[in-house]
Amino acid sequence: MSKKIILTGDRPTGKLHLGHYVGSLKNRIAMQDEYEQYVLIADQQALTDNFDNPEKVITNVLEVAKDYLAAGLDPAKTTICIQSQLPAIAELTMYYMNLVTMSRLMRNPTVKNEIKQKNFGESTPAGFVNYPISQAADITAFKAEVVPVGEDQKPMIEQTNEIVRSFNRIYGETLVECEAVIPKVGRLCGIDGKAKMSKSLGNGIYISDDSETVKKKVMGMYTDPDHIRVEDPGKVEGNVVFEYLDVFGTDKEKIEEMKDHYKRGGLGDVVTKRYLIEVLEEVLSPIREKRKYYDEHEDEVMAVLKSGTEKARKVTDKTLEDVKNSMGINYFK
Ligand code: ATP
Ligand code: MG
């Protein structure tokens, strides 16, 4: 039996943080044995809203790749590849653009939201509005059946499957529909207590942060603003320290005891924070060690990217050939 194909990826706009670790990386590491997994570093998509800052995108391709390897993605099992080096994706995008109306693109709730957030207004780049089509090209180029995504990315999968159905209806059965798999874990909040840890909010702990930085970030974490003196009863809900202990701690009994003590009063934030630092160090120190190795051996990281991209190139070129054959665009055959 052949393994099912997964496509996932990231926009290389910054290093990966603990939100990525719990929300996607851990899942990818768990899936890499059972699935044929491709992880795409989507530099072209990152350029749609960073076209004036290519340096940021280019340098982060390598940083994200290091994060992957350090966190435990195994290049023998997972194919890591770079979008811009897979020209079939851009070509597929071109054909798919004819199958989607402008009004459909503008209705995409995720894109609409992002346009507002980024204050594009009348200056929204066409490439940005078009990125759901390019994402459909990413997914279908690999004939992916399973696409793990965050809740906010669901409209992208719907758009992809609409394109697949249109294509197959017009040109004949060629492309494969995919299924979105939404991780059960909720979002990890930011160290400031905001609902989501996010690169652009600057409220993250990065998996590449050194132990001094992690310490500082935890010590400055949002807790319960009304818990002023140690003796005061404290709130556990919305207290970032306890939220993280729930996600990363393994000694559940100890954590429950700490929560009871905190609620009763008499347990200070410094104590809970010191414990969280210990818990996070346990998760992060092996990753940090491996990442240090890759910092010192960037050529190895580049070699992984090169061979992954070469493999992906064969797969995506084959899909493009199928697509052009179905359309009858193969003049010199
Ligand atoms: P940006 O601020 O640029 O949007 P980000 O930090 O939100 O960056 P993304 O690249 O948008 O990160 O996230 C990619 C994917 O990583 C998400 O779809 C989600 O699956 C996962 N992810 C990101 N942040 C979190 C988080 N705080 N909790 C859980 N999962 C997350
Ligand atoms: Mg985001």
Side-chain angles (χ1 to χ4, degrees):
M1 271 239 325
S2 65
K3 292 179 174 174
K4 276 198 173 179
I5 300 171
I6 289 190
L7 178 81
T8 76
D10 291 286
R11 292 154 39 94
T13 51
K15 295 176 176 183
L16 302 182
H17 50 60
L18 285 177
H20 296 116
Y21 183 73
V22 295
S24 62
L25 280 178
K26 262 178 94 170
N27 195 39
R28 292 175 191 171
I29 293 155
M31 307 272 257
Q32 65 184 347
D33 288 308
E34 275 174 68
Y35 292 83
E36 165 108 29
Q37 182 165 253
Y38 293 91
V39 177
L40 183 72
I41 303 182
D43 57 344
Q44 287 177 319
Q45 191 184 312
L47 283 168
T48 63
D49 56 335
N50 290 285
F51 55 88
D52 52 353
N53 192 1
E55 199 62 30
K56 170 175 154 191
V57 174
I58 294 157
T59 52
N60 279 307
V61 169
L62 190 62
E63 295 305 318
V64 167
K66 285 183 202 167
D67 285 336
Y68 288 164
L69 296 175
L73 280 184
D74 177 354
K77 297 174 184 163
T78 295
T79 306
I80 304 172
C81 51
I82 306 177
Q83 187 185 33
S84 62
Q85 307 307 302
L86 303 170
I89 291 176
E91 231 178 297
L92 288 172
T93 303
M94 176 103 222
Y95 298 124
Y96 296 171
M97 280 170 77
N98 299 329
L99 307 177
V100 181
T101 63
M102 287 296 288
S103 67
R104 175 68 182 88
L105 276 182
M106 298 310 293
R107 263 202 328 270
N108 185 312
T110 308
V111 174
K112 255 169 121 171
N113 256 335
E114 287 172 339
I115 288 175
K116 233 187 259 155
Q117 270 171 17
K118 293 174 201 291
N119 292 317
F120 276 142
E122 290 298 302
S123 322
T124 309
F128 186 81
V129 181
N130 200 53
Y131 93 74
I133 302 181
S134 149
Q135 225 168 50
D138 297 336
I139 295 166
T140 55
F142 290 92
K143 300 210 158 107
E145 298 153 276
V146 179
V147 185
V149 286
E151 183 70 38
D152 58 326
Q153 291 291 304
K154 252 172 99 176
M156 303 302 162
I157 306 300
E158 282 160 22
Q159 175 72 84
T160 300
N161 286 334
E162 284 172 32
I163 291 173
V164 169
R165 286 192 291 269
S166 295
F167 189 97
N168 290 348
R169 180 169 43 79
I170 299 168
Y171 304 110
E173 210 54 42
T174 314
L175 301 170
V176 185
E177 281 193 54
C178 64
E179 185 196 341
V181 179
I182 317 249
K184 280 182 221 69
V185 292
R187 283 180 169 179
L188 188 70
C189 62
I191 54 173
D192 54 357
K194 288 214 179 94
K196 189 179 175 255
M197 180 180 287
S198 152
K199 278 176 278 197
S200 46
L201 293 175
N203 61 2
I205 293 178
Y206 290 83
I207 66 170
S208 48
D209 278 346
D210 60 31
S211 53
E212 237 357 87
T213 308
V214 173
K215 213 187 225 168
K216 240 187 251 153
K217 285 181 178 175
V218 172
M219 282 303 175
M221 239 173 207
Y222 181 86
T223 57
D224 171 5
D226 298 325
H227 184 242
I228 296 162
R229 286 165 310 171
V230 174
E231 322 75 88
D232 294 340
K235 262 211 304 265
V236 163
E237 294 79 34
N239 183 322
V240 181
V241 176
F242 286 106
E243 303 237 345
Y244 282 30
L245 283 176
D246 279 338
V247 174
F248 297 101
T250 47
D251 190 345
K252 300 294 172 201
E253 216 171 295
K254 174 166 175 159
I255 294 166
E256 284 315 307
E257 267 169 32
M258 284 180 90
K259 281 184 186 170
D260 286 341
H261 193 175
Y262 195 83
K263 284 193 268 193
R264 275 199 315 271
L267 183 60
D269 284 323
V270 173
V271 177
T272 62
K273 285 177 172 175
R274 283 219 180 101
Y275 181 53
L276 177 61
I277 291 168
E278 242 176 75
V279 164
L280 288 182
E281 275 305 294
E282 215 162 293
V283 176
L284 289 174
S285 69
I287 298 177
R288 195 181 292 133
E289 277 304 298
K290 276 176 88 178
R291 208 181 185 287
K292 192 163 158 257
Y293 173 86
Y294 290 114
D295 274 334
E296 288 158 6
H297 297 82
E298 288 190 342
D299 49 332
E300 275 183 42
V301 185
M302 287 312 292
V304 165
L305 288 174
K306 186 156 184 267
S307 74
T309 302
E310 274 162 12
K311 179 175 169 197
R313 193 154 178 159
K314 289 200 187 98
V315 175
T316 53
D317 280 352
K318 171 70 174 65
T319 304
L320 177 64
E321 195 187 319
D322 293 346
V323 159
K324 287 168 94 173
N325 281 338
S326 294
M327 296 175 78
I329 302 180
N330 49 5
Y331 305 107
F332 303 118
K333 236 189 167 172

